[in-house]
Amino acid sequence: MRPESRPRRAGDVTGAAARTWDRRPVSRGDQRRDALLRALDELLHESDLESITIADITARAGVTRSGFYFYFANKASCMAALGADVYVASIAAAAHLADGSLPAARRIERMVYDLTASVRRHHYIYRAMLDARRHSGAIREMWDGYLDSFVAPVARYIDGERAAGHAPAGPHSRTLAVLLLGLSDRVLEGLGPAETPDVRRRVDALATIWLRSIYGTPENAHPRGSSPTGDA
């Protein structure tokens, strides 16, 4: 998710971390925007989103209130910009589906385990996004857009595996993708920072559901029971 060259407007959803892709000098405006995002990130370690005020964010960032509104329409849009980093991590996890160097079932495993590991690392941001979408129609619409952006790639993956003879015929690929992504979203909602036995069981079960929903047979849909990357 590379930052665009145009000036940023209030409410833009662009992760601060993604700016490492851009080699242009960081402007003073970028520094102020990043300071606001860092301030919100720090505050979320200390309190819940509902309790954090714009005054808290600007005081922590050392930015004026008018400066805040230059970049963000409200607290929810600031939260959306911070939450974009979670979306970037989700894109990276989903990219495993296109990794032709891996067996098909292994691609699914890597995607599920990397995605859940990323959400656990960013659990406080993910929780805040869940809270924001309950109270903000704009955040809810953005969140739904995030989910929708994964539907077509997953459906194409399913169709490709079926066409190649790796997966049996089954439900309409787009419908199956929507259901699998919806289930994944529900599992992610319940994750915290710790890898408890219950969390591990749920992650393993999610991987199994993906595998068996697409590949059908236990022989082809057998999760390893541990993260391929060592971090699940």
PDB file of all heavy atoms in Angstrom, residues 175-192:
ATOM      1  N   THR A 175     -19.397 -17.388  -3.477  1.00  0.00           N
ATOM      2  CA  THR A 175     -20.192 -17.606  -2.273  1.00  0.00           C
ATOM      3  C   THR A 175     -19.356 -18.288  -1.204  1.00  0.00           C
ATOM      4  O   THR A 175     -19.398 -17.904  -0.025  1.00  0.00           O
ATOM      5  CB  THR A 175     -21.419 -18.469  -2.599  1.00  0.00           C
ATOM      6  OG1 THR A 175     -22.217 -17.806  -3.585  1.00  0.00           O
ATOM      7  CG2 THR A 175     -22.259 -18.703  -1.358  1.00  0.00           C
ATOM      8  N   LEU A 176     -18.577 -19.291  -1.594  1.00  0.00           N
ATOM      9  CA  LEU A 176     -17.718 -19.983  -0.646  1.00  0.00           C
ATOM     10  C   LEU A 176     -16.675 -19.031  -0.070  1.00  0.00           C
ATOM     11  O   LEU A 176     -16.396 -19.060   1.136  1.00  0.00           O
ATOM     12  CB  LEU A 176     -17.035 -21.167  -1.338  1.00  0.00           C
ATOM     13  CG  LEU A 176     -16.115 -22.022  -0.470  1.00  0.00           C
ATOM     14  CD1 LEU A 176     -16.856 -22.572   0.743  1.00  0.00           C
ATOM     15  CD2 LEU A 176     -15.516 -23.158  -1.292  1.00  0.00           C
ATOM     16  N   ALA A 177     -16.103 -18.180  -0.907  1.00  0.00           N
ATOM     17  CA  ALA A 177     -15.104 -17.216  -0.435  1.00  0.00           C
ATOM     18  C   ALA A 177     -15.708 -16.266   0.594  1.00  0.00           C
ATOM     19  O   ALA A 177     -15.088 -15.981   1.626  1.00  0.00           O
ATOM     20  CB  ALA A 177     -14.538 -16.428  -1.613  1.00  0.00           C
ATOM     21  N   VAL A 178     -16.913 -15.774   0.335  1.00  0.00           N
ATOM     22  CA  VAL A 178     -17.576 -14.859   1.273  1.00  0.00           C
ATOM     23  C   VAL A 178     -17.788 -15.540   2.625  1.00  0.00           C
ATOM     24  O   VAL A 178     -17.527 -14.952   3.687  1.00  0.00           O
ATOM     25  CB  VAL A 178     -18.923 -14.383   0.694  1.00  0.00           C
ATOM     26  CG1 VAL A 178     -19.741 -13.657   1.761  1.00  0.00           C
ATOM     27  CG2 VAL A 178     -18.691 -13.453  -0.499  1.00  0.00           C
ATOM     28  N   LEU A 179     -18.242 -16.782   2.602  1.00  0.00           N
ATOM     29  CA  LEU A 179     -18.504 -17.499   3.847  1.00  0.00           C
ATOM     30  C   LEU A 179     -17.212 -17.780   4.609  1.00  0.00           C
ATOM     31  O   LEU A 179     -17.151 -17.625   5.833  1.00  0.00           O
ATOM     32  CB  LEU A 179     -19.238 -18.803   3.550  1.00  0.00           C
ATOM     33  CG  LEU A 179     -20.664 -18.653   3.024  1.00  0.00           C
ATOM     34  CD1 LEU A 179     -21.242 -20.016   2.637  1.00  0.00           C
ATOM     35  CD2 LEU A 179     -21.562 -17.984   4.054  1.00  0.00           C
ATOM     36  N   LEU A 180     -16.160 -18.189   3.912  1.00  0.00           N
ATOM     37  CA  LEU A 180     -14.886 -18.469   4.575  1.00  0.00           C
ATOM     38  C   LEU A 180     -14.278 -17.203   5.169  1.00  0.00           C
ATOM     39  O   LEU A 180     -13.749 -17.223   6.285  1.00  0.00           O
ATOM     40  CB  LEU A 180     -13.910 -19.105   3.584  1.00  0.00           C
ATOM     41  CG  LEU A 180     -14.217 -20.546   3.183  1.00  0.00           C
ATOM     42  CD1 LEU A 180     -13.295 -20.986   2.047  1.00  0.00           C
ATOM     43  CD2 LEU A 180     -14.084 -21.484   4.372  1.00  0.00           C
ATOM     44  N   LEU A 181     -14.361 -16.091   4.457  1.00  0.00           N
ATOM     45  CA  LEU A 181     -13.831 -14.832   4.970  1.00  0.00           C
ATOM     46  C   LEU A 181     -14.643 -14.329   6.154  1.00  0.00           C
ATOM     47  O   LEU A 181     -14.094 -13.794   7.122  1.00  0.00           O
ATOM     48  CB  LEU A 181     -13.800 -13.780   3.857  1.00  0.00           C
ATOM     49  CG  LEU A 181     -12.746 -14.028   2.765  1.00  0.00           C
ATOM     50  CD1 LEU A 181     -13.017 -13.152   1.556  1.00  0.00           C
ATOM     51  CD2 LEU A 181     -11.342 -13.776   3.308  1.00  0.00           C
ATOM     52  N   GLY A 182     -15.969 -14.514   6.089  1.00  0.00           N
ATOM     53  CA  GLY A 182     -16.807 -14.112   7.216  1.00  0.00           C
ATOM     54  C   GLY A 182     -16.492 -14.904   8.466  1.00  0.00           C
ATOM     55  O   GLY A 182     -16.417 -14.355   9.571  1.00  0.00           O
ATOM     56  N   LEU A 183     -16.298 -16.219   8.306  1.00  0.00           N
ATOM     57  CA  LEU A 183     -15.929 -17.056   9.445  1.00  0.00           C
ATOM     58  C   LEU A 183     -14.571 -16.635  10.000  1.00  0.00           C
ATOM     59  O   LEU A 183     -14.383 -16.555  11.227  1.00  0.00           O
ATOM     60  CB  LEU A 183     -15.893 -18.518   9.013  1.00  0.00           C
ATOM     61  CG  LEU A 183     -15.388 -19.510  10.070  1.00  0.00           C
ATOM     62  CD1 LEU A 183     -16.300 -19.508  11.293  1.00  0.00           C
ATOM     63  CD2 LEU A 183     -15.287 -20.910   9.479  1.00  0.00           C
ATOM     64  N   SER A 184     -13.624 -16.369   9.119  1.00  0.00           N
ATOM     65  CA  SER A 184     -12.299 -15.935   9.562  1.00  0.00           C
ATOM     66  C   SER A 184     -12.380 -14.645  10.370  1.00  0.00           C
ATOM     67  O   SER A 184     -11.705 -14.488  11.397  1.00  0.00           O
ATOM     68  CB  SER A 184     -11.381 -15.734   8.351  1.00  0.00           C
ATOM     69  OG  SER A 184     -11.245 -16.934   7.621  1.00  0.00           O
ATOM     70  N   ASP A 185     -13.223 -13.726   9.919  1.00  0.00           N
ATOM     71  CA  ASP A 185     -13.406 -12.461  10.632  1.00  0.00           C
ATOM     72  C   ASP A 185     -13.908 -12.709  12.056  1.00  0.00           C
ATOM     73  O   ASP A 185     -13.446 -12.085  13.016  1.00  0.00           O
ATOM     74  CB  ASP A 185     -14.379 -11.580   9.856  1.00  0.00           C
ATOM     75  CG  ASP A 185     -14.420 -10.145  10.374  1.00  0.00           C
ATOM     76  OD1 ASP A 185     -13.368  -9.635  10.786  1.00  0.00           O
ATOM     77  OD2 ASP A 185     -15.500  -9.547  10.365  1.00  0.00           O
ATOM     78  N   ARG A 186     -14.835 -13.630  12.206  1.00  0.00           N
ATOM     79  CA  ARG A 186     -15.352 -13.943  13.527  1.00  0.00           C
ATOM     80  C   ARG A 186     -14.279 -14.560  14.428  1.00  0.00           C
ATOM     81  O   ARG A 186     -14.196 -14.244  15.620  1.00  0.00           O
ATOM     82  CB  ARG A 186     -16.542 -14.904  13.415  1.00  0.00           C
ATOM     83  CG  ARG A 186     -17.779 -14.300  12.772  1.00  0.00           C
ATOM     84  CD  ARG A 186     -18.336 -13.153  13.614  1.00  0.00           C
ATOM     85  NE  ARG A 186     -18.725 -13.596  14.948  1.00  0.00           N
ATOM     86  CZ  ARG A 186     -19.900 -14.095  15.255  1.00  0.00           C
ATOM     87  NH1 ARG A 186     -20.818 -14.228  14.309  1.00  0.00           N
ATOM     88  NH2 ARG A 186     -20.191 -14.443  16.492  1.00  0.00           N
ATOM     89  N   VAL A 187     -13.449 -15.418  13.867  1.00  0.00           N
ATOM     90  CA  VAL A 187     -12.363 -16.012  14.647  1.00  0.00           C
ATOM     91  C   VAL A 187     -11.359 -14.939  15.063  1.00  0.00           C
ATOM     92  O   VAL A 187     -10.907 -14.900  16.215  1.00  0.00           O
ATOM     93  CB  VAL A 187     -11.653 -17.126  13.844  1.00  0.00           C
ATOM     94  CG1 VAL A 187     -10.391 -17.602  14.579  1.00  0.00           C
ATOM     95  CG2 VAL A 187     -12.601 -18.295  13.609  1.00  0.00           C
ATOM     96  N   LEU A 188     -11.029 -14.044  14.155  1.00  0.00           N
ATOM     97  CA  LEU A 188     -10.066 -12.989  14.458  1.00  0.00           C
ATOM     98  C   LEU A 188     -10.570 -12.066  15.563  1.00  0.00           C
ATOM     99  O   LEU A 188      -9.776 -11.557  16.359  1.00  0.00           O
ATOM    100  CB  LEU A 188      -9.769 -12.171  13.197  1.00  0.00           C
ATOM    101  CG  LEU A 188      -9.073 -12.929  12.057  1.00  0.00           C
ATOM    102  CD1 LEU A 188      -8.923 -12.029  10.841  1.00  0.00           C
ATOM    103  CD2 LEU A 188      -7.721 -13.454  12.498  1.00  0.00           C
ATOM    104  N   GLU A 189     -11.877 -11.858  15.614  1.00  0.00           N
ATOM    105  CA  GLU A 189     -12.444 -10.995  16.650  1.00  0.00           C
ATOM    106  C   GLU A 189     -12.131 -11.514  18.047  1.00  0.00           C
ATOM    107  O   GLU A 189     -12.028 -10.731  18.995  1.00  0.00           O
ATOM    108  CB  GLU A 189     -13.967 -10.904  16.481  1.00  0.00           C
ATOM    109  CG  GLU A 189     -14.419 -10.077  15.287  1.00  0.00           C
ATOM    110  CD  GLU A 189     -15.938 -10.001  15.220  1.00  0.00           C
ATOM    111  OE1 GLU A 189     -16.596 -10.345  16.216  1.00  0.00           O
ATOM    112  OE2 GLU A 189     -16.461  -9.600  14.161  1.00  0.00           O
ATOM    113  N   GLY A 190     -12.007 -12.820  18.197  1.00  0.00           N
ATOM    114  CA  GLY A 190     -11.790 -13.398  19.514  1.00  0.00           C
ATOM    115  C   GLY A 190     -10.335 -13.561  19.904  1.00  0.00           C
ATOM    116  O   GLY A 190     -10.042 -14.074  20.994  1.00  0.00           O
ATOM    117  N   LEU A 191      -9.397 -13.133  19.054  1.00  0.00           N
ATOM    118  CA  LEU A 191      -7.984 -13.318  19.355  1.00  0.00           C
ATOM    119  C   LEU A 191      -7.455 -12.237  20.279  1.00  0.00           C
ATOM    120  O   LEU A 191      -7.826 -11.073  20.174  1.00  0.00           O
ATOM    121  CB  LEU A 191      -7.158 -13.323  18.064  1.00  0.00           C
ATOM    122  CG  LEU A 191      -7.428 -14.455  17.079  1.00  0.00           C
ATOM    123  CD1 LEU A 191      -6.512 -14.312  15.879  1.00  0.00           C
ATOM    124  CD2 LEU A 191      -7.235 -15.807  17.735  1.00  0.00           C
ATOM    125  N   GLY A 192      -6.560 -12.615  21.173  1.00  0.00           N
ATOM    126  CA  GLY A 192      -5.843 -11.677  22.018  1.00  0.00           C
ATOM    127  C   GLY A 192      -4.360 -11.821  21.768  1.00  0.00           C
ATOM    128  O   GLY A 192      -3.935 -12.517  20.838  1.00  0.00           O
TER     129      GLY A 192
END
